[in-house]
Amino acid sequence: MFRSSPGRTAPLRAAITAVAVLITGGCMPADDDSKGVNAPLPRMTREAALKWAKDYTAYMGGIAGVDIDRSTEVPHYAGCVGENNEVAEDGRFIFRYRVFTELPPTQHTAVVRALKNQLEKDGYEIADYREYQDTRLSASLLAIHKEHGYTVSANTNRPNKTSPDSMSFSANVPCMLPPDAEQQQF
């Protein structure tokens, strides 16, 4: 159900920001000159990635004024593949997380507009944006955090390409190395 909740987003936004700072604050390489195949990776546990994704999709739902259906969550961990097709065995991973909300397509444009406006303020660059037009040209938003490389999205869900009565919200982290792992060199 679409609802307005302007008072709920500020405390949730503060909590999400605090979690993001804690997760990423000490994770980025100190030496930005070391770009390349063996540049230090940011560090995060799989559990922290899942928590961030759940918290961030809740934050997005708050901005959009929708209830997220947690029973629909789809978490997915995968290995990282380097720029030169390197595959490491040191535990590094990428993480993709998606959940859904039931929502009539007539409200999808309002959702992507609200998210676009807030995510830009939060340091995200909008990489893809489209307002809902019909079942073929559905609502779509993809945003990438300029500093950390996290991506978030909201899209009209079209499981059968005929019924856009829900939206998906996703939050994804780029390649991360577990905190206790020694980074494999290539």
Side-chain angles (χ1 to χ4, degrees), residues 87-150:
V87 177
E89 297 178 12
D90 57 9
R92 63 184 77 180
F93 66 93
I94 59 171
F95 180 63
R96 310 232 181 278
Y97 180 83
R98 186 173 40 166
V99 291
F100 298 89
T101 184
E102 289 298 315
L103 191 67
T106 55
Q107 296 176 357
H108 292 195
T109 293
V111 167
V112 294
R113 280 182 186 167
L115 288 170
K116 179 181 181 288
N117 291 336
Q118 185 58 51
L119 292 172
E120 287 175 325
K121 292 175 188 173
D122 292 347
Y124 282 81
E125 179 179 313
I126 305 304
D128 180 52
Y129 177 79
R130 181 178 59 230
E131 296 183 356
Y132 187 87
Q133 295 169 42
D134 56 37
T135 56
R136 190 176 66 78
L137 294 171
S138 56
S140 177
L141 169 75
L142 173 65
I144 303 167
H145 194 276
K146 295 174 190 175
E147 184 179 348
H148 303 296
Y150 295 179

Side-chain angles (χ1 to χ4, degrees), residues 27-50:
C27 299
M28 301 311 290
D31 180 11
D32 285 342
D33 295 330
S34 62
K35 307 251 188 246
V37 71
N38 291 314
L41 290 171
R43 293 182 178 263
M44 179 185 289
T45 65
R46 287 175 177 243
E47 295 79 16
L50 177 62

Side-chain angles (χ1 to χ4, degrees), residues 3-6 8-9 12 56-66 68:
R3 60 183 161 66
S4 176
S5 57
R8 287 185 39 203
T9 59
L12 186 55
Y56 212 86
T57 52
Y59 171 59
M60 291 170 66
I63 293 167
V66 299
I68 300 294

